Amino acid sequence: MPTIQEKTPILWMRRALHLAWLGRGRVEPNPMVGCVIVKDGEVVGEGFHQKYGEAHAEVNALRMAGGRARGATVYVTLEPCCHTGKTPPCCEMLIAAGVKNVVAAMRDPFPQVAGGGIRRLEEAGIFVSVGLCQAEAEAINAPFIKLVTKHRPWVIAKYAMTLDGKIATREHSSRWVSSAASREKVHELRSYMDAILIGSGTATADDPMLNVRCRDKACLVSTDVRTPLRIVADASLKLPVTSRLVQTAREIPTLLLVGPEISQEHLAPYTDAGCEIFQAQSADHACQLTELLDELGRRRVTNLLAEGGATLLGTLFDLREIDEVHAFIAFTKLIGGRNAPSPFGGIGLADMQDAVRLTDTRLETLAGDIYLRGRVACREVMSEK
């Protein structure tokens, strides 16, 4: 049986991972990072990256530790940075503090670091170990990893459906499929996002605000969370200028994805109202979404919440761009109807053996709804056979 001493490093790193998660929705496009400083079996300092542009996890932990950091071991969920960005290099601060060991869960894939932090620490005589709880660290920062390696945002598909798999009736009535408790959860989810994407059909039919709001006192949304960019995929630009999205564009950033044939004359009322326009070069819907994802990557958008409807989610599914799924299932409601839409349109798969599977799934009950979430585990080539 392992001794307490043998298990302790994992406990320290798991504490650092817990701290890292507290920065969700506030640090992007930076990674979530937690740090614990241990000396003689005792935590002398800890911290996490709390907000983009502010001090990194190591700096906050060193501030707490003070002089006790000398000769200590640092447990950090990501390789310490060695470059000057919004803040000075963490490596130099660790060296100046006189720490003895650094245990990092994973290397930083960001090109300006990518092993450089480890080399700098080792050059200064600090022993560095990498890989403790690596899988957990990579899971926490999967959106950051995708952004810096594939230059596209992490795409989360969110939808509400009835027990028979319908997101609306055959007459496109959808208010409300899910319960008030589920809708509160959606606003909490939105509060962690950098951008929210819907299709033109949803925008026209529902006239949504796509903002973050919570009426429940138990809602965990913080007032200092950034406002997500609202995006409507509207190739033909059918969204009414009188819609709430357009009319509030000066207060809440709003981007319209339109096709190449839309004239400047047609665009003028929307730009006058404060909307930003991204005009795709391709007339194909899938290619337009690909262009949009590339543009969002250039803007360093980390987390993108795709709220449907079926055409949008189906196209993202066919493109293999969905990374995570959040489904709200109203298990007490049935709609029926062959023409009632399901969450995913598009081409889909021909063989059940190719079905996309979710991993790290979690289940929760919310006032008559089942809230299921998980990450896409495998991406087979999706094509019509």
Side-chain angles (χ1 to χ4, degrees):
M1 293 291 291
T3 65
I4 295 296
Q5 288 76 13
E6 290 170 333
K7 295 168 71 174
T8 296
I10 293 180
L11 295 179
W12 300 144
M13 186 61 80
R14 285 180 176 165
R15 172 61 182 169
L17 289 164
H18 169 75
L19 291 169
W21 191 250
L22 298 179
R24 184 187 182 202
R26 296 168 176 81
V27 303
E28 292 82 2
N30 284 351
M32 293 180 283
V33 183
C35 180
V36 174
I37 302 176
V38 179
K39 188 173 184 179
D40 299 327
E42 178 187 358
V43 174
V44 296
E46 62 178 30
F48 65 98
H49 186 23
Q50 298 180 19
K51 191 174 182 180
Y52 177 70
E54 296 185 357
H56 287 188
E58 298 94 322
V59 175
N60 288 327
L62 286 170
R63 285 173 179 168
M64 180 178 176
R68 294 176 296 175
R70 184 164 298 277
T73 297
V74 175
Y75 295 87
V76 62
T77 58
L78 185 71
E79 172 187 358
C81 65
C82 56
H83 69 295
T84 299
K86 292 285 185 179
T87 59
C90 292
C91 282
E92 301 306 323
M93 296 189 177
L94 291 169
I95 293 168
V99 304
K100 183 178 180 181
N101 307 296
V102 172
V103 181
M106 61 175 285
R107 293 176 182 269
D108 190 341
F110 188 58
Q112 288 179 268
V113 183
I118 295 170
R119 289 192 298 273
R120 178 68 187 103
L121 292 171
E122 290 178 335
E123 289 169 358
I126 296 173
F127 177 79
V128 181
S129 173
V130 181
L132 182 65
C133 298
Q134 180 173 327
E136 294 96 320
E138 290 176 346
I140 284 178
N141 276 317
F144 168 73
I145 294 170
K146 182 182 180 183
L147 181 64
V148 299
T149 59
K150 298 185 177 180
H151 311 292
R152 288 182 181 175
W154 183 263
V155 179
I156 300 173
K158 167 262 159 184
Y159 55 89
M161 70 179 188
T162 57
L163 185 59
D164 54 340
K166 307 296 184 181
I167 60 174
T169 69
R170 67 175 188 272
E171 298 295 333
H172 304 290
S173 172
S174 61
R175 289 191 174 179
W176 295 101
V177 172
S178 60
S179 67
S182 291
R183 297 196 294 275
E184 287 286 341
K185 183 65 71 172
V186 170
H187 283 286
E188 184 179 333
L189 179 61
R190 284 179 180 177
S191 74
Y192 301 127
M193 298 295 111
D194 301 293
I196 303 169
L197 171 65
I198 62 172
S200 58
T202 300
T204 302
D206 295 348
D207 192 22
M209 279 289 288
L210 295 186
N211 58 351
V212 178
R213 57 191 186 276
C214 276
R215 300 182 181 89
D216 188 341
K217 293 181 180 179
C219 185
L220 300 178
V221 173
S222 172
T223 55
D224 66 349
V225 173
R226 71 189 68 181
T227 301
L229 171 67
R230 305 180 300 184
I231 308 173
V232 182
D234 190 5
S236 301
L237 197 51
K238 296 178 180 178
L239 182 67
V241 176
T242 55
S243 69
R244 295 198 294 172
L245 287 168
V246 175
Q247 291 302 306
T248 58
R250 295 198 182 279
E251 290 75 45
I252 305 174
T254 304
L255 175 69
L256 304 181
L257 167 65
V258 302
E261 74 285 352
I262 304 300
S263 67
Q264 291 302 310
E265 182 180 2
H266 193 175
L267 293 173
Y270 298 90
T271 55
D272 290 345
C275 294
E276 182 183 1
I277 305 296
F278 179 73
Q279 192 155 21
Q281 296 182 7
S282 174
D284 177 74
H285 180 56
C287 292
Q288 289 175 359
L289 286 179
T290 299
E291 289 182 45
L292 173 67
L293 293 175
D294 288 338
E295 172 64 17
L296 295 179
R298 285 188 287 271
R299 297 184 183 204
R300 299 186 71 193
V301 168
T302 307
N303 292 291
L304 173 66
L305 183 65
E307 296 201 15
T311 300
L312 175 67
L313 292 184
T315 304
L316 289 170
F317 180 86
D318 290 340
L319 288 171
R320 295 176 289 161
E321 286 293 345
I322 293 177
D323 302 291
E324 191 171 328
V325 173
H326 288 244
F328 296 84
I329 306 166
F331 63 86
T332 61
K333 295 179 181 179
L334 298 168
I335 289 178
R338 69 180 65 183
N339 294 323
S342 61
F344 294 92
I347 297 172
L349 302 171
D351 194 326
M352 184 59 72
Q353 298 303 313
D354 296 332
V356 172
R357 292 172 171 80
L358 300 183
T359 187
D360 191 26
T361 54
R362 302 184 184 185
L363 199 65
E364 186 178 343
T365 302
L366 294 170
D369 295 342
I370 293 174
Y371 174 32
L372 174 66
R373 59 194 187 275
R375 291 184 171 185
V376 173
C378 63
R379 293 184 174 87
E380 302 296 344
V381 176
M382 300 177 190
S383 60
E384 196 168 24
K385 295 183 179 179

